[in-house]
Amino acid sequence: MISATCVAPVNIALIKYWGKRHEDLILPVNDSISMTLSTDELCAKTTVCASESFEENRMWLNGEEVPFEGSSRLQRCLKEVRRLALSNGSTKVPPAWKLHIASVNNFPTAAGLASSAAGYACLVYSLSRLYGIPLDEELTTVARQGSGSACRSLYGGFVQWHRGALDDGSDSVAKQIAPSNHWPQMHVLILVVNDERKKTASTKGMQQAVKTSQLLKHRVDKVVPERIEQLRDAIAAHDFQTFAELTMKDSNQFHAIALDTYPPCVYMNDVSHRIVSFIHDYNEIMGSYQAAYTFDAGPNACLYVLEENVPHLLNAIQKVFPSGSIENTTYLRGLSVPKVDNSHSLESAKQSKIDSLDINARNAFRYIIHTKVGEGPTELSADNSLLSNGLPLGH
Ligand code: DP6
């Protein structure tokens, strides 16, 4: 029996991927750029195990067995990994051996965070370790076929997914723009919004957008190519002002396209919109961009903020969006936040403007996760395995 256990990160897009030019190969209509988040706070963990004695392929997600043959995306990833192993001359896993796979997220799936990106990146990375194939651009084409955004989670730091031009998708690859230590001060607050509604799945929403949104054509032809270049320059220069403006504008354009889709897709809710207003008010009071919001296909806000500005931003959030759970240790999760002492408190004029912001949204979030830019996937030692004798622990 051979096995590999790995963790892989979540990534959050700054320039969004929205729309495919090929459904099965998952080829996007535009390039996208994301930042990878630290696996210390959010990650998927996967064990893949191959054995001569397994009678069939089996898979468990968060402890529940799921049909292995049921997912065409999973089948495709596996087929591609086997093809790469063959072309690399790797014979570590005999073709007749079956697989057992277990995968968990260390964050609630209900939080609506990018779990498919981390999940497929982790699956493909773990398989690459098992089959003995290297992490390179070609491996990103495999993760892409699990879930588009997953290809960006194979690298740490700042990552660009190139749309590519070829019909077979071989040039639709993710490449690192800058490693995480290029801008380690880049922190993130994820505001997990209370929301019960079911969202339109990304896959379906983007299909409809490609069919019906005229705005999407303009975005793809004109807007994204310019923004990609500007954002790459901003990251290279540690220019938070440009970074923030591009990120917020791109989130807004993505949601405008969701509304321009017919019938429309609505992902943000009332609380999401209050967060947007708050960030604009806050930046204006502070006199420069201190925080930038972005929203994926759901109501949760992801705020980019430099480390030194986290304490003041968090104070303002707690002032404007008061929570009954504030004393609860699970309300603020992840990295700790230094208290603002008197010598660093805000000028009173700014503080009183923040105090008088009238957004009035009590208990708007379930909790807040504080994290930062992080590394790509890593392999863990065998004692971290999720499988024992090929079955999930506890079975
Ligand atoms: C809004 O990668 O989940 O998060 O390729 O159909 O699996 P599929 O979609 P998915 O879409 C992610 C969309 C997004 C933007 C982004 O991450 O770039």
Side-chain angles (χ1 to χ4, degrees), residues 277-350:
S277 308
F278 160 70
I279 294 295
H280 284 288
D281 289 346
Y282 182 74
N283 286 334
E284 195 174 321
I285 293 169
M286 300 300 279
S288 66
Y289 291 124
Q290 306 269 306
Y293 55 78
T294 189
F295 295 81
D296 280 341
N300 299 327
C302 185
L303 306 180
Y304 286 88
V305 50
L306 293 175
E307 182 174 12
E308 61 191 17
N309 298 324
V310 171
H312 281 309
L313 176 64
L314 199 64
N315 274 357
I317 289 173
Q318 292 177 341
K319 186 95 212 163
V320 173
F321 298 93
S323 165
S325 324
I326 202 88
E327 298 304 329
N328 193 325
T329 48
T330 58
Y331 184 69
L332 182 59
R333 306 178 183 193
L335 300 169
S336 61
V337 183
K339 287 258 175 300
V340 179
D341 62 30
N342 285 342
S343 60
H344 289 93
S345 54
L346 278 188
E347 293 159 37
S348 57
K350 286 181 179 168

Side-chain angles (χ1 to χ4, degrees), residues 38-276:
S38 165
T39 52
D40 291 345
E41 283 74 43
L42 302 168
C43 70
K45 179 177 168 188
T46 304
T47 298
V48 290
C49 191
S51 166
E52 195 176 9
S53 68
F54 293 163
E55 285 172 5
E56 51 176 353
N57 291 323
R58 294 177 74 182
M59 180 157 183
W60 294 264
L61 283 183
N62 294 314
E64 295 288 320
E65 182 152 14
V66 293
F68 194 98
E69 315 300 335
S71 159
S72 57
R73 289 180 172 200
L74 173 67
Q75 301 303 326
R76 200 179 262 280
C77 288
L78 195 55
K79 197 169 135 225
E80 286 293 291
V81 165
R82 291 190 168 129
R83 183 181 64 75
L84 286 187
L86 215 64
S87 69
N88 275 280
S90 165
T91 52
K92 274 181 76 186
V93 185
W97 288 20
K98 302 287 186 205
L99 293 172
H100 282 189
I101 301 174
S103 191
V104 294
N105 293 327
N106 76 343
F107 53 92
T109 347
L113 299 169
S115 56
S116 69
Y120 270 105
C122 205
L123 173 78
V124 168
Y125 187 72
S126 305
L127 288 171
S128 77
R129 306 310 303 154
L130 191 77
Y131 280 79
I133 50 187
L135 167 55
D136 58 11
E137 278 174 18
E138 203 172 6
L139 195 68
T140 72
T141 70
V142 182
R144 187 199 76 222
Q145 294 177 63
S147 184
S149 52
C151 70
R152 299 185 311 235
S153 273
L154 285 179
Y155 295 111
F158 299 85
V159 183
Q160 180 171 349
W161 174 14
H162 298 257
R163 81 183 279 285
L166 300 174
D167 287 343
D168 69 357
S170 56
D171 59 347
S172 186
V173 296
K175 296 185 193 181
Q176 190 178 61
I177 298 175
S180 62
N181 64 8
H182 167 73
W183 208 352
Q185 301 82 1
M186 192 60 94
H187 280 228
V188 163
L189 293 177
I190 301 172
L191 311 181
V192 179
V193 169
N194 281 316
D195 190 74
E196 301 303 327
R197 279 179 317 134
K198 272 244 178 300
K199 62 172 186 125
T200 317
S202 310
T203 309
K204 178 87 194 307
M206 65 176 90
Q207 249 169 26
Q208 285 295 106
V210 170
K211 271 196 214 142
T212 64
S213 168
Q214 285 177 314
L215 260 185
L216 181 60
K217 291 184 186 54
H218 172 64
R219 166 172 173 77
V220 167
D221 295 342
K222 182 88 181 99
V223 182
V224 172
E226 284 172 11
R227 284 189 182 158
I228 291 277
E229 290 316 312
Q230 291 165 347
L231 185 60
R232 287 181 62 106
D233 290 348
I235 292 168
H238 302 103
D239 171 1
F240 188 81
Q241 297 306 303
T242 308
F243 174 99
E245 187 163 323
L246 288 169
T247 298
M248 292 189 283
K249 284 185 170 172
D250 206 69
S251 173
N252 294 339
Q253 186 171 73
F254 154 50
H255 290 279
I257 281 165
L259 284 184
D260 186 47
T261 298
Y262 195 80
C265 296
V266 180
Y267 294 116
M268 293 166 69
N269 67 14
D270 191 41
V271 173
S272 318
H273 290 291
R274 288 178 194 210
I275 295 168
V276 168

